[in-house]
Every structure is written in structure tokens, then in C-alpha cells.
Amino acid sequence: MAVPAFEEYVPAIDCACAGCAVRRRTAAAALPTRQGGHPAVHGARRALVLVTAAGVVLSAGLAEAATAAAGPAPVTDPALPEPGGVADPSDPGPESPQGGPGPLQGAGASGPPASQTGTPVLRTTSRADIINRAKKWITAQVPYSMSAYSSDGYRRDCSGYVSMAWNLPGNEWTGSLGPYGTRIAREDLQPGDILLFHNPADPSKGSHVTIFGGWTDYTHTHYTAYEQTTPHTRKQTTPMAYWTNSGSYVAYRYKGLSTGTGGSGSTTAFPGAGKFGPGANNAYVTELGKLLVARGGKRFYKVGPGPAWGSADRQATEAFQKAQGWKGKEADGIPGPDTWRLLTGGTGRSISAGGRGGSTAVPAFPGRGYFRTGQSNSHVDRLGKQLVKKGYGTYYLSGPGPRWTEADRRNVEAFQKAQGWRGTEADGYPGPETWRRLFA
């Protein structure tokens, strides 16, 4: 009986078989850290392959064993198109371990990062500048590393990449990037925002951050991600929010984002309520007025906007607040942190073209739970009446009412399909976007 022999082999780069794919991933994961390898698997060597006299036999079980020997989750197959490639649905995404907070290195050296001093320092930047900086590493194909730094002093890992793109004064990590941003809903994501997952229980397990580059289509199921990962910086179509730990990624918008498209302008940091109201006269009042005009408040201003606070500023601010569905003290005409964040970030609902004070603004979406079998409430009745008003009441036999029925669902479905939506986007159950369009 022939004794099995063991030998090493180098996988062909263009071979699509499972064995070669595993070997390519194993080889990439075993690279030294300085060359982009994962430190947890530094030193891993080539797996052994059983070779019999009849030929080479590589079973699925051996492929799994070879993968296990290589260490944690597989890295990107170098044969995949990068950058600007399309996500491989079978690839869970590469591991991206990172260093901790630290100062800039080399020519960009500075003091300790703001996260270590307790006072985040916001450098004003714009969305265009964030994406342009991110693209520079894409073009240069900067190799991934936890210990090496780029010429501008930023660490070449995922959090160092975001620190660079956001123009932060130091190198941060996934555990300290949050304070530099404002949490936003995923549906509000715009280029230059980030998706962040930090695993506090074990930061080395899965923690990662990507830069949002824009939705790939209307379904909002995939987006263009800029990220620093093995073997080098890449731009790739990525499932929302990521392959692994998708539900735990949080969307953030940089607090130092300017309102313009260039690298200068005012920051989004809220200056304080004392800068607004009767007697106020400063540049923030002017900026507020310009933002309100851009969001539909031009009709309130006969002259201006200007630095002196006036009734036009109060009325336009109130109209914007009411457009968000706010009432009472939340819509008093004096901007607070939330009003300022929505205006400077270009999010939230704009002022309606209707009456003063935003009286015809889109009502706030109450939540998906109100529109389900067995539910009976005023929101269902309001929805039904609006469907009829818009011409989508075909399935009502006796008119809309407060109890959710199949007629409501089918009318909503008809409205959704009229928007060009299909599949789960047109299931007959209203979400925030259906609600907004229906009442717009």
C-alpha cells in the first residue's frame, strides 16, 4: 500500500476551484503585518495537501481544515477586482485589526489625540474634501498595516484611514471616533459619513469602520464603501451595512462638516442657543438664515438674511421645526442642537410650500408597528384618507377607517409600485419614505 506523501503547492491565481481559493486566502492571511497581514495569524505557514499516487485529491473537509489552520475570518481574495470592484457574495469581508488612539507620526507629528485629552478638536472640512482624501489612498493602493504610517502621519488601518479622511488632529480607533460625529439614521447617509462598528467586549473581534460613498441604487441595500483593509485601500460595492455584524454598525456624520462644498466655511458645531433670539447680532444668525432659505424658507425674508435677529428668522425656524413634526417648545422658532444639526447636515424635511409656520408640512411618521394586522388607530385612518385623496383608494369597499385591513395594504402597495418600487419595497406596509411621499 502506497504511503501518502505531503507536499506544498502554490495556487494558480486564475484557478476558481475551492482548493486554490482557500490557499490564496491562507497565503494572504499569513503575510507579515508590515506587508498587510493579520497580526493574529502572523507566522502562519502554508497548509499541507494530501497527494496520493493517483493524483491530487482536495476534499471539502480538507479545505475547511486548511482555512481553520490559517486563523480568523478569511481576507479578500487578491484575485477579486480591486479597487472599485463588486462584492463577492460568498466573501464575509476581510479582517481589519487596528491600533489604538495615538498622535500623528513623522512629518505630521503633533500632541496626543483629542480623544486622550477629553476635548475633540474639530477641523472644518467638507464632504467633497473627505471623499477626495479617501480617493488618494485608493489611487495609491496604500498597503494595510497596524504599525506603519502614511507620509501625512496617519496609521494605515481602518480607523487611521477615517481619521485621515475626516482630517482629525490624531489617529483615532473605532472606540474613539464616535465623539467626532453625530449619530444619524442609515437612510440619511450621505457621502463622507461613516458606518462604525466597535465591539467593546473584544475590540479585536470584528471592529471596523467604512466611509460611505453613496447608494448604488434606489433599493438602498448596497453602497459604495471606501475602506482600509487587507491587502490595501479599496473602493467596493458593499451590502448595507457590512458582511459581518451588519446590524451593529452605526451611522455617524462628522461634526466639523462645513455647509459648502469646499474646504472652508462654518462648522456644524452648534454655537449655543444664546447666539439666537431677540437682540442677537452675529454671523451665526446670517448663516441660519441662509440655511433656512435653502430649505424652503425664502418667503419669510423680505430683506436678508442678515446678522441681526428678526421675526423672519423666528418664523422660518419655526416652519422648519414644524416640518419635522415637532410641536410646543420643540417648535418655538429658536434653533437648538437638533434644528442646527438637520440644517447644517442637509437632512430632515424641508419647509413646505404651504401656509406660514409649516402648517401643511408632512406629518411625522408614527412607526411601522401601527400598520399591521389587528391594529386600530388614528394613523391607519389618516393613511387611508390620504390614499383616497391621492387616487389610491381602489380597494376600499366602504371607505377607510381606523382598523388596518387588507384593503389598506393593497392600496399602499399600489402607491408604492407607482413610485417604481418592487419586491420588499412594495409590500403594502408603509415605511418612512412611503409616508413622506404620500403626504408630500
Side-chain angles (χ1 to χ4, degrees):
M1 172 176 149
V3 178
F6 293 85
E7 67 181 27
E8 296 178 322
Y9 77 95
V10 177
I13 194 168
D14 58 349
C15 178
C17 76
C20 283
V22 169
R23 298 293 293 112
R24 285 195 295 268
R25 289 190 173 98
T26 302
L31 287 173
T33 301
R34 64 180 180 276
Q35 297 179 12
H38 192 307
V41 295
H42 177 57
R45 299 306 178 208
R46 294 180 176 180
L48 297 179
V49 180
L50 179 63
V51 180
T52 66
V56 179
V57 179
L58 183 62
S59 68
L62 288 173
E64 293 176 0
T67 305
V75 299
T76 303
D77 188 333
L80 291 176
E82 295 186 48
V86 177
D88 177 357
S90 65
D91 186 354
E95 287 263 334
S96 297
Q98 60 182 322
L104 301 181
Q105 299 293 319
S110 62
S115 61
Q116 293 183 343
T117 65
T119 307
V121 176
L122 301 176
R123 294 174 173 176
T124 303
T125 190
S126 69
R127 294 189 184 282
D129 286 343
I130 292 173
I131 296 300
N132 286 336
R133 282 192 290 267
K135 286 180 176 178
K136 287 182 179 180
W137 281 30
I138 296 288
T139 302
Q141 297 285 274
V142 175
Y144 175 86
S145 176
M146 287 176 58
S147 57
Y149 294 80
S150 65
S151 59
D152 51 12
Y154 291 99
R155 192 176 54 245
R156 300 203 309 243
D157 58 16
C158 64
S159 49
Y161 181 51
V162 171
S163 298
M164 178 276 299
W166 275 10
N167 196 30
L168 302 185
N171 284 288
E172 301 299 337
W173 73 316
T174 54
S176 61
L177 279 170
Y180 286 91
T182 300
R183 291 185 63 162
I184 60 174
R186 289 184 182 180
E187 54 266 28
D188 291 335
L189 279 163
Q190 296 183 47
D193 299 336
I194 64 171
L195 284 158
L196 172 69
F197 169 58
H198 180 67
N199 181 6
D202 189 350
S204 65
K205 296 291 186 181
S207 297
H208 189 46
V209 59
T210 71
I211 299 173
F212 181 83
W215 299 107
T216 57
D217 59 32
Y218 75 93
T219 65
H220 289 192
T221 59
H222 288 74
Y223 67 102
T224 299
Y226 295 85
E227 61 178 329
Q228 179 66 358
T229 187
T230 53
H232 49 65
T233 323
R234 73 178 182 182
K235 172 187 175 184
Q236 180 168 287
T237 296
T238 304
M240 175 55 60
Y242 206 67
W243 286 271
T244 54
N245 303 300
S246 179
S248 299
Y249 276 76
V250 178
Y252 284 92
R253 175 162 298 146
Y254 180 50
K255 289 180 179 178
L257 197 66
S258 66
T259 57
T261 57
S264 62
S266 62
T267 176
T268 57
F270 180 57
K275 296 292 184 181
F276 308 100
N281 191 318
N282 55 69
Y284 291 108
V285 176
T286 303
E287 181 179 0
L288 172 72
K290 291 179 178 179
L291 291 170
L292 289 165
V293 167
R295 300 301 297 276
K298 184 177 180 179
R299 68 178 184 273
F300 295 100
Y301 292 91
K302 295 181 179 179
V303 180
W309 178 269
S311 60
D313 299 297
R314 186 193 63 76
Q315 291 170 358
T317 301
E318 181 184 0
F320 180 77
Q321 292 168 332
K322 287 185 175 180
Q324 315 313 308
W326 302 343
K327 299 178 180 179
K329 292 183 179 180
E330 293 181 341
D332 60 1
I334 303 296
D338 291 332
T339 301
W340 188 258
R341 173 178 58 82
L342 294 178
L343 284 170
T344 56
T347 58
R349 303 181 183 91
S350 295
I351 300 170
S352 71
R356 298 176 65 86
S359 59
T360 61
V362 174
F365 179 60
R368 299 177 188 273
Y370 287 96
F371 309 102
R372 292 291 184 270
T373 302
Q375 290 295 314
S376 181
N377 52 74
S378 61
H379 302 299
V380 175
D381 185 53
R382 186 176 198 176
L383 172 77
K385 290 177 179 178
Q386 189 67 9
L387 284 166
V388 171
K389 182 178 179 180
K390 289 281 189 176
Y392 294 91
T394 305
Y395 296 100
Y396 289 125
L397 298 179
S398 58
R403 181 172 294 279
W404 178 261
T405 66
E406 178 63 12
D408 294 298
R409 192 198 67 77
R410 295 182 69 181
N411 284 327
V412 172
E413 180 183 11
F415 176 78
Q416 291 169 330
K417 287 183 175 179
Q419 313 308 305
W421 303 339
R422 296 294 182 269
T424 57
E425 298 292 327
D427 59 2
Y429 296 99
E433 184 62 15
T434 298
W435 186 267
R436 185 187 68 80
R437 293 195 182 194
L438 186 60
F439 285 91

